Amino acid sequence: MGKIKLFIGALLLIGAASAAFAQKAELALALPSERIKQEKTRDKTIDSALADAVESQFEVDFEQLIKSPRLSLRSSAALVVNLNDNRAIYAKNTDTVLPIASITKLMTAMVVIDAGLPLDQKITVTQAEVDTLRHSGSRLRVGTTLSRRDMLRLALMASENRAAAALARTGPGGTRGFVAAMNRKAVELGMTKSRFVDATGLSEENVSTAHDLARMVKASERYELIADFSTQGSHQQTFAGSKRRLSFRNTNILVNNTRWDIDVSKTGYISESGRCLVMKATIEKRPVIIVLLDSNGKFARFGDANRIKKWMEATPARNVRVSGLH
C-alpha cells in the first residue's frame, strides 16, 4: 500500500509540472514577439530603465501567470502591465494590429500640449469639424466657441469628436500638420505598429496594438492635464455670452466608481474597433496599465476591467523592485 501511495504521489507531481510547462508554452506561442528577458540588474539607472521601456517589449511575468487563477476576458486583445517591474502579468493578442477609435485622443492631447499653444485661446467649431464619414452627432454646435483647455477637456473625458477635430485644425500646420505630428510622436514613443490619419479616431485607419497603446498610456500619464481631464467624472460647460449650460459625463463609467483608483483613462468605439478601453490604475497598491481592445458587448470592456481587478486582488502582491518607469 505504501508503494502505491508513493507511485500516485509521483504521478501527481509530474502532472503538475507538465501543466505548468504547458501554460508557459501556450503563452510563448500566443506572444511570438515577446522577449522573455533575464531579470535586470538592480543597479540599473532610471535613465537606462526608461530607455528599455521605449526600446523593448514588456517582459512576461511567468511566475505570476502560473500562480494566478485563470482569467477569461471578452476583449479580443488585452494587456496588463505591472509598472512596479514593467512586466506583463496578462497578455492576449498583444501585437495584433487593430482599429483603436477614440483611444486616438490620448495622442491628440499629447500633441496639443507639446505644441505649447495658449490653453486660454478661443477656438470656434466650424463646418470642417462636422463628421461626414460616420455622420455622428455632437453637442458642440457649429459656431460654438470654447477655450483650447475646454476643448481638450471635452475631447478626453466626453470623447467629443468636434472638440478633437477643432484642436487639430488650430494646431501647427493645420489638420494635416497635426496628424503628421501625431505619427512622429508615435515613432518617438516606440509605437512601431501604430498609424494615425485623424485626430478623432473616427477613421478605421487609426490603428495600433495593445503593446503600443501601453506605451502611449504610460507616456500620457506624465501630462498633468491629461491625467486630470481623462479621469474627471463630469463637467458643467458654460458658454460665453449665453446662459446655456451643458452637462458632460466621462465615457468611462469606472472613474466614478469609488472602488477604482484611476490615473489615466480613455474609451473608444467605432463598429470596426469594437469597444475599447485603456487605463493606468492602481490595484492592490500595484500601478498597472490595462489595455482592452475589441470587447464584445456594450459593457464588456468594463466587465473585463472589473474581472482583471478581482483577479489581481486574488493574487498576493510579490515584493518587486521599482523600475523607475513611473
Side-chain angles (χ1 to χ4, degrees):
M1 182 65 70
K3 289 183 178 180
I4 292 174
K5 287 183 178 179
L6 285 173
F7 178 71
I8 292 172
L11 286 177
L12 289 173
L13 285 173
I14 292 170
S18 298
F21 178 80
Q23 282 181 292
K24 286 190 178 184
E26 181 182 0
L27 183 62
L29 288 172
L31 303 172
S33 67
E34 291 282 359
R35 291 191 203 166
I36 313 307
K37 301 187 292 187
Q38 297 296 323
E39 184 73 11
K40 296 182 180 73
T41 55
R42 293 181 182 274
D43 62 349
K44 178 170 282 190
T45 63
I46 288 177
D47 286 343
S48 62
L50 181 57
D52 282 348
V54 173
E55 295 295 331
S56 66
Q57 303 285 3
F58 293 106
E59 298 176 7
V60 178
D61 190 343
F62 280 127
E63 183 179 350
Q64 168 133 359
L65 285 167
I66 291 172
K67 288 182 177 180
S68 301
R70 184 174 177 81
L71 176 62
S72 179
L73 302 180
R74 295 180 64 183
S75 301
S76 295
L79 179 63
V80 183
V81 177
N82 183 349
L83 292 177
N84 275 337
D85 57 5
N86 201 39
R87 289 187 173 191
I89 58 175
Y90 182 88
K92 176 183 178 183
N93 298 325
T94 56
D95 287 318
T96 301
V97 177
L98 296 167
I100 60 171
S102 286
I103 304 298
T104 295
K105 293 184 176 80
L106 282 181
M107 180 63 77
T108 300
M110 285 192 285
V111 172
V112 168
I113 296 170
D114 286 348
L117 298 174
L119 293 176
D120 293 330
Q121 183 178 356
K122 300 299 182 181
I123 297 175
T124 300
V125 175
T126 70
Q127 193 64 34
E129 279 73 72
V130 175
D131 173 21
T132 58
L133 177 64
R134 299 180 184 275
H135 306 287
S136 59
S138 172
R139 302 177 71 193
L140 299 181
R141 294 180 265 189
V142 173
T144 298
T145 299
L146 296 174
S147 68
R148 182 173 280 108
R149 182 188 304 274
D150 282 336
M151 290 287 191
L152 186 62
R153 185 198 315 272
L154 296 181
L156 287 171
M157 66 163 287
S159 211
E160 260 292 345
N161 290 316
R162 290 184 185 177
L167 288 168
R169 176 178 54 81
T170 57
T175 300
R176 181 176 296 183
F178 190 92
V179 172
M182 291 172 69
N183 284 298
R184 287 195 299 272
K185 183 74 172 180
V187 172
E188 175 188 324
L189 295 177
M191 299 171 63
T192 58
K193 295 185 178 180
S194 301
R195 177 172 178 259
F196 299 96
V197 301
D198 70 29
T200 62
L202 287 169
S203 173
E204 65 182 286
E205 294 182 48
N206 281 20
V207 296
S208 189
T209 67
H211 259 140
D212 279 6
L213 292 181
R215 292 186 176 89
M216 186 170 76
V217 173
K218 181 182 291 186
S220 69
E221 187 204 7
R222 302 183 185 116
Y223 295 76
E224 185 177 350
L225 280 179
I226 294 178
D228 289 346
F229 290 167
S230 72
T231 58
Q232 185 173 342
S234 61
H235 175 66
Q236 285 279 333
Q237 184 62 57
T238 58
F239 302 87
S242 171
K243 294 182 179 180
R244 181 172 171 241
R245 299 172 68 92
L246 285 179
S247 296
F248 291 88
R249 295 187 65 82
N250 200 302
T251 53
N252 180 2
I253 61 175
L254 300 179
V255 301
N256 290 311
N257 188 325
T258 57
R259 291 176 294 179
W260 277 90
D261 181 6
I262 301 171
D263 299 310
V264 172
S265 164
K266 192 68 198 77
T267 62
Y269 173 75
I270 54 175
S271 57
E272 295 87 349
S273 72
R275 309 283 174 173
C276 303
L277 174 66
V278 297
M279 296 190 295
K280 190 271 179 175
T282 301
I283 301 174
E284 288 292 291
K285 299 181 180 179
R286 284 175 281 181
V288 293
I289 289 174
I290 298 173
V291 179
L292 300 168
L293 301 179
D294 189 21
S295 294
N296 181 22
K298 185 174 182 180
F299 297 104
R301 54 189 165 179
F302 305 125
D304 277 354
N306 280 320
R307 278 184 279 274
I308 289 168
K309 187 174 185 292
K310 290 178 181 178
W311 176 71
M312 289 187 64
E313 288 169 345
T315 307
R318 296 182 292 115
N319 293 324
V320 294
R321 63 183 175 83
V322 177
S323 64
L325 297 176
H326 300 283

